[in-house]
Amino acid sequence: MDIDDVDRTPDAEIARMFRVWKTAHQMVIDRGYVINSDAYNDIEHFKERCLKNGVLHKESMMFQVQKNDNPNEQLLVVFPDDKPVGVKTLKALCQRMLDTKVSRGIVVFSGTMTAAANKAIQVINTKENRSYEIDTFSEADLMVNITHHQLVPKHYVLSEEEKKTLLAKYRLKETQLPRIQTTDPVAKYYGLKRGQVCDLFISKAASLFIVMADADFG
């Protein structure tokens, strides 16, 4: 189909996808990845990058970042246009991650993911000696940044060394800490892994330490 025959993307849809894209950038920053420019906050930059002849191209929304403390730890964020997102799209992403030595991927989908794709991701993320992991979010999940809500305390993910220091200081075992489950939206936002500990800043004088755990953790 000639591009002239394609309807221009409505302004409301452009604004919606800009919010999703912006939250995705905020999320990777909060996970400790480097964003070299704050241009992601600018909708005009978004339009210049992602619109062609007035049509939004989601492949142009894709971006790749590296960890602050380890440049070799890379993350790729993709926004597939498939509805639903299936195994074929997932295979292409996995191959790209292998080719570029990216260790973590985030898929932001617009509709749903097929049962087969969800199962494949579960297998990938639980496989021993895996080369990469994949997180998934719907566009609706990222319309707003849940960590910016006034009732959500600031989360700080402890390093392994900080975790050991914490447990030793208070003479605690990991299983004695309050738990946060894998299904928790904030846990998903930060990409927490089993056994990781978060410091929740309740106030200037108080913190609450929680551990990432599966339902059967103990």
Side-chain angles (χ1 to χ4, degrees):
M1 186 187 306
D2 191 90
I3 192 66
D4 292 332
D5 297 327
V6 179
D7 291 334
R8 295 170 64 89
T9 303
D11 289 345
E13 176 64 6
I14 294 171
R16 188 182 74 85
M17 289 309 303
F18 168 67
R19 291 173 64 183
V20 171
W21 195 63
K22 180 178 176 179
T23 301
H25 281 75
Q26 293 169 343
M27 179 171 65
V28 301
I29 291 171
D30 288 339
R31 289 188 180 199
Y33 291 88
V34 178
I35 299 290
N36 293 319
S37 169
D38 61 357
Y40 69 87
N41 283 308
D42 183 1
I43 192 169
E44 295 306 319
H45 168 76
F46 175 77
K47 290 178 180 179
E48 182 178 347
R49 170 176 171 146
C50 303
L51 290 182
K52 296 178 182 177
N53 296 317
V55 178
L56 179 65
H57 290 260
K58 287 187 176 179
E59 63 269 23
S60 297
M61 294 174 62
M62 178 177 62
F63 64 94
Q64 186 171 325
V65 290
Q66 63 186 35
K67 262 293 180 69
N68 274 310
D69 55 357
N70 184 4
N72 292 322
E73 190 172 338
Q74 307 263 332
L75 180 146
L76 178 67
V77 185
V78 298
F79 302 80
D81 209 13
D82 310 46
K83 294 181 182 180
V85 173
V87 172
K88 182 178 179 181
T89 299
L90 196 59
K91 283 183 177 179
L93 170 63
C94 291
Q95 189 59 54
R96 184 186 183 98
M97 291 173 68
L98 284 172
D99 291 343
T100 57
K101 297 181 180 180
V102 171
S103 58
R104 195 150 193 169
I106 294 178
V107 177
V108 183
F109 57 92
S110 59
T112 59
M113 297 190 65
T114 65
N118 281 321
K119 180 64 176 178
I121 289 174
Q122 183 181 6
V123 171
I124 289 168
N125 291 346
T126 55
K127 184 179 179 181
E128 291 187 16
N129 301 318
R130 54 189 175 271
S131 301
Y132 51 81
E133 296 179 65
I134 297 175
D135 301 328
T136 60
F137 294 86
S138 70
E139 290 174 0
D141 290 334
L142 301 181
M143 276 290 291
V144 296
N145 189 328
I146 58 172
T147 67
H148 290 180
H149 193 283
Q150 61 181 353
L151 296 180
V152 177
K154 177 67 176 177
H155 288 58
Y156 172 74
V157 182
L158 273 62
S159 67
E160 276 301 308
E161 191 62 34
E162 289 170 327
K163 174 183 170 181
K164 291 177 183 177
T165 301
L166 167 74
L167 296 177
K169 178 180 179 180
Y170 294 103
R171 299 180 180 179
L172 292 171
K173 294 181 180 180
E174 188 174 304
T175 52
Q176 292 176 294
L177 293 173
R179 304 174 188 179
I180 183 171
Q181 303 298 331
T182 54
T183 53
D184 185 277
V186 175
K188 279 194 65 180
Y189 177 92
Y190 284 100
L192 296 182
K193 298 179 182 179
R194 191 176 190 270
Q196 283 190 294
V197 174
C198 271
D199 183 356
L200 277 63
F201 295 96
I202 308 300
S203 68
K204 290 183 178 180
S207 288
L208 171 67
F209 295 95
I210 59 175
V211 64
M212 177 68 179
D214 298 323
D216 60 351
F217 183 70

